[in-house]
Amino acid sequence: MDDTYTNFPTSHLAGSVPAVVTEEKNRYKPEAPAASSPILPPNNGPNAGRGYQTLGSEEDGQQSTYKWNGVFSVSSYTEYFNVDTDLVLNRLLSSLNPATGDFFSKIDANPDLYGLVWISTTLVFVISAIGNCATYLMHKRSDSNSSWNFDVNYVNVAACAVYGYALLVPLGFYFLLRYMGTSASLIRFWCLWGYSFFVLVLSSFLLIIPVEFLRWTITIAAGATSASFVALNLRTYVQSDDLMIILVAAFALQAALTIFIKMWFFS
């Protein structure tokens, strides 16, 4: 073939492509795909119209759910039963000396629900059993010929009265004092009222004596001790003289419970 045809320049011809393939390949750099952002649901809450929910909103809801679940979990209350014998004995002796009025300072580091549960339960069974024994002795003293029957209903009445009082009365004073602006603690109130029943347990054993005058003397002494223990310690949360009616109400309710036990179980 003639060299004139092979050396003929072809770059100016139509359809010709410059040899730049190598440069295009060198300029091409693959890019990593961008991380996909989480798709957030619309904000349908009280701030609707302000965009989408934040990531923390779901966690806040879960934390709120866990908080309410803890209220109904037994493990949440185990710390309030973490007491030893010496600590319980010290608090029991404090309930017999109400004049000091320093019970809250003693339980401030470690309030417990031992008194609320076990002392209340002990009081229920003691007044039920001793109450039946006392009525038996009174019955034999007045009329020894007729028969006597054990009153099982004493247990039901004692359980409703003691447990209802131990739970609801401190709860009522807690809400009242919180409404008044004080820093009241429900656990400490339950602890206070629980240990206030200890003197009633001791007096119930003495009420078995079949002498009515001695029974009333013991009832008044026990009621005054228990009521003073509650009222004088509540004084920590009542600084104003205008709120002294709260202390009077606490004293009266505690005294009324003592009189109810005497009238119903030892009459």
Side-chain angles (χ1 to χ4, degrees), residues 40-145:
L40 301 178
N43 188 0
N44 296 324
N47 294 326
R50 298 185 180 180
Y52 291 90
Q53 295 181 5
T54 60
L55 291 176
S57 60
E58 183 177 356
E59 295 178 358
D60 295 340
Q62 292 178 354
Q63 291 178 357
S64 178
T65 303
Y66 295 152
K67 183 184 297 185
W68 280 108
N69 289 340
V71 175
F72 302 100
S73 175
V74 177
S75 60
S76 301
Y77 300 96
T78 54
E79 61 176 308
Y80 299 116
F81 292 89
N82 186 22
V83 289
D84 55 18
T85 304
D86 294 336
L87 187 62
V88 172
L89 288 177
N90 184 30
R91 294 176 180 183
L92 290 175
L93 294 176
S94 298
S95 67
L96 300 178
N97 185 21
T100 58
D102 60 347
F103 185 75
F104 283 126
S105 63
K106 294 181 178 180
I107 68 172
D108 187 56
N110 184 23
D112 69 272
L113 295 179
Y114 181 91
L116 180 71
V117 175
W118 295 115
I119 299 178
S120 299
T121 303
T122 303
L123 181 61
V124 168
F125 286 100
V126 165
I127 62 179
S128 301
I130 302 299
N132 273 284
C133 293
T135 54
Y136 170 77
L137 293 177
M138 293 294 290
H139 176 78
K140 288 298 182 181
R141 186 179 181 182
S142 60
D143 187 8
S144 58
N145 295 325

Side-chain angles (χ1 to χ4, degrees), residues 33-256:
S36 59
S37 300
I39 300 176
L40 301 178
N43 188 0
N44 296 324
N47 294 326
R50 298 185 180 180
Y52 291 90
Q53 295 181 5
T54 60
L55 291 176
S57 60
E58 183 177 356
E59 295 178 358
D60 295 340
Q62 292 178 354
Q63 291 178 357
S64 178
T65 303
Y66 295 152
K67 183 184 297 185
W68 280 108
N69 289 340
V71 175
F72 302 100
S73 175
V74 177
S75 60
S76 301
Y77 300 96
T78 54
E79 61 176 308
Y80 299 116
F81 292 89
N82 186 22
V83 289
D84 55 18
T85 304
D86 294 336
L87 187 62
V88 172
L89 288 177
N90 184 30
R91 294 176 180 183
L92 290 175
L93 294 176
S94 298
S95 67
L96 300 178
N97 185 21
T100 58
D102 60 347
F103 185 75
F104 283 126
S105 63
K106 294 181 178 180
I107 68 172
D108 187 56
N110 184 23
D112 69 272
L113 295 179
Y114 181 91
L116 180 71
V117 175
W118 295 115
I119 299 178
S120 299
T121 303
T122 303
L123 181 61
V124 168
F125 286 100
V126 165
I127 62 179
S128 301
I130 302 299
N132 273 284
C133 293
T135 54
Y136 170 77
L137 293 177
M138 293 294 290
H139 176 78
K140 288 298 182 181
R141 186 179 181 182
S142 60
D143 187 8
S144 58
N145 295 325
S146 61
S147 60
W148 174 85
N149 296 321
F150 184 87
D151 193 353
V152 183
N153 192 44
Y154 273 19
V155 179
N156 298 329
V157 176
C160 292
V162 174
Y163 288 138
Y165 184 94
L167 291 175
L168 298 180
V169 171
L171 186 65
F173 278 95
Y174 166 74
F175 283 118
L176 178 60
L177 290 175
R178 292 289 291 184
Y179 177 77
M180 296 296 180
T182 64
S183 58
S185 171
L186 181 58
I187 297 297
R188 287 171 173 78
F189 278 14
W190 274 335
C191 182
L192 172 69
W193 261 272
Y195 281 98
S196 71
F197 293 155
F198 178 63
V199 66
L200 302 183
V201 174
L202 298 180
S203 64
S204 297
F205 288 99
L206 299 177
L207 291 178
I208 197 174
I209 301 173
V211 179
E212 195 66 13
F213 174 76
L214 289 178
R215 285 183 174 180
W216 275 109
T217 303
I218 295 169
T219 299
I220 293 174
T225 302
S226 180
S228 299
F229 174 71
V230 172
L232 292 178
N233 282 285
L234 276 183
R235 188 175 54 185
T236 307
Y237 295 94
V238 179
Q239 302 296 335
S240 175
D241 294 337
D242 297 335
L243 300 179
M244 292 300 293
I245 187 64
I246 297 178
L247 303 183
V248 175
F251 187 96
L253 287 174
Q254 200 75 5

